[in-house]
Amino acid sequence: MGRQIKGLLYFFITDIRYSLMIFWAILLSILVVSLTFAYFLLSVEDGEFYFGFPFGVYIYCAILGFLTIKESIPFSIKMGATRKNLFVSIGLFFLGLAFAKAVLANTVQSITLLFTESTGIHTFKFLHPVVLLQDTWVNRVIIDTSIMFFLLAFMSIIGLLFFKHGLAGGGIVAGTIAVVLLIGVAQGWIFDFFVNLLPTIGLEFFYQLLVIGIVIYCLSFLFLRRITIVKVK
């Protein structure tokens, strides 16, 4: 069991290595361009440039959670991986990836802030959910890890629905979620929910979000335990 889990983790990591390098190359390039814009804004009164560094990472994790199910599971089963080992390996992979990306992203952010402070580029600002709390490196890592793992777990469930029940099954669930969200936006109760939630958010909220992500991921075992390489269309 241990060797198979190690093998699966190695496969998952090497499988995303290329896309991960491309993603970070693009993200860092955008960061450099953003810093350049912020530098030219120094001559503009009240000029400020905001860069949402973590949000690109969140989107990447959401897409990866879906694609891991679609592409990696059939190959892993063909190579002889058991469903139980797949469940454990994907969970460890998601958790490790979320933590590693949170550490890397926030280390880059801290280095960038040191750079902007030393060069006087005060027009450059980062957007981050940590504005709801005290802005420290540790808090940013905890927040990002929680959000990324939640997105990975949630999108893996969506991916499993599409994999096992085809476009009809997955589409019905995804469509239902989209309709509920649209109704919530139209009726305003989603907006009210976040307005009431934001003042009460503390670091405990993100711990709870991480636990919710773990529970959602545990539910994926109900789909994984009898999954086959046959993808329903």
Side-chain angles (χ1 to χ4, degrees):
M1 179 177 177
R3 288 184 179 180
Q4 193 173 91
I5 290 175
K6 288 179 182 177
L8 286 168
L9 288 173
Y10 178 78
F11 164 64
F12 293 144
I13 292 170
T14 52
D15 191 45
I16 68 163
R17 185 174 55 185
Y18 185 66
S19 66
L20 204 59
M21 290 172 62
I22 293 176
F23 170 78
W24 277 100
I26 294 173
L27 195 61
L28 292 176
S29 300
I30 295 174
L31 176 62
V32 172
V33 173
S34 301
L35 286 168
T36 306
F37 273 116
Y39 173 77
F40 287 113
L41 285 176
L42 288 173
S43 57
V44 178
E45 186 179 359
D46 297 329
E48 289 185 337
F49 192 94
Y50 288 89
F51 182 63
F53 194 65
F55 300 111
V57 182
Y58 297 162
I59 293 172
Y60 176 88
C61 285
I63 296 172
L64 182 68
F66 184 85
L67 293 181
T68 298
I69 302 302
K70 180 183 176 184
E71 298 177 356
S72 299
I73 284 185
F75 181 79
S76 301
I77 294 176
K78 285 180 183 177
M79 293 296 104
T82 65
R83 278 63 173 173
K84 186 177 179 181
N85 286 346
L86 259 179
F87 172 73
V88 174
S89 303
I90 294 174
L92 292 175
F93 171 65
F94 283 170
L95 191 60
L97 180 70
F99 180 72
K101 286 178 75 69
V103 169
L104 178 60
N106 288 293
T107 300
V108 172
Q109 179 168 331
S110 296
I111 293 172
T112 305
L113 288 174
L114 287 174
F115 172 76
T116 55
E117 288 174 8
S118 62
T119 55
I121 307 178
H122 55 81
T123 50
F124 184 83
K125 309 286 183 186
F126 274 110
L127 291 172
H128 196 284
V130 79
V131 294
L132 301 169
L133 310 170
Q134 185 182 4
D135 188 358
T136 65
W137 184 86
V138 174
N139 284 351
R140 292 201 303 265
V141 169
I142 293 172
I143 291 170
D144 286 347
T145 302
S146 303
I147 293 175
M148 282 190 276
F149 183 79
F150 174 82
L151 291 173
L152 285 163
F154 179 76
M155 290 305 294
S156 68
I157 286 279
I158 298 295
L160 282 167
L161 284 169
F162 275 95
F163 189 92
K164 289 200 69 174
H165 302 291
L167 189 60
I172 288 173
V173 175
T176 302
I177 294 173
V179 169
V180 170
L181 290 175
L182 287 174
I183 292 174
V185 171
Q187 294 181 346
W189 54 263
I190 285 186
F191 179 75
D192 294 337
F193 171 77
F194 283 107
V195 167
N196 295 325
L197 178 66
L198 288 178
T200 63
I201 283 183
L203 201 56
E204 299 79 12
F205 171 82
F206 295 98
Y207 286 127
Q208 293 169 359
L209 186 65
L210 180 61
V211 172
I212 292 172
I214 293 172
V215 171
I216 290 174
Y217 182 72
C218 289
L219 293 175
S220 69
F221 187 68
L222 299 175
F223 299 93
L224 275 173
R225 63 177 181 172
R226 292 184 179 176
I227 199 167
T228 66
I229 60 173
V230 179
K231 190 186 304 181
V232 179
K233 296 184 179 178

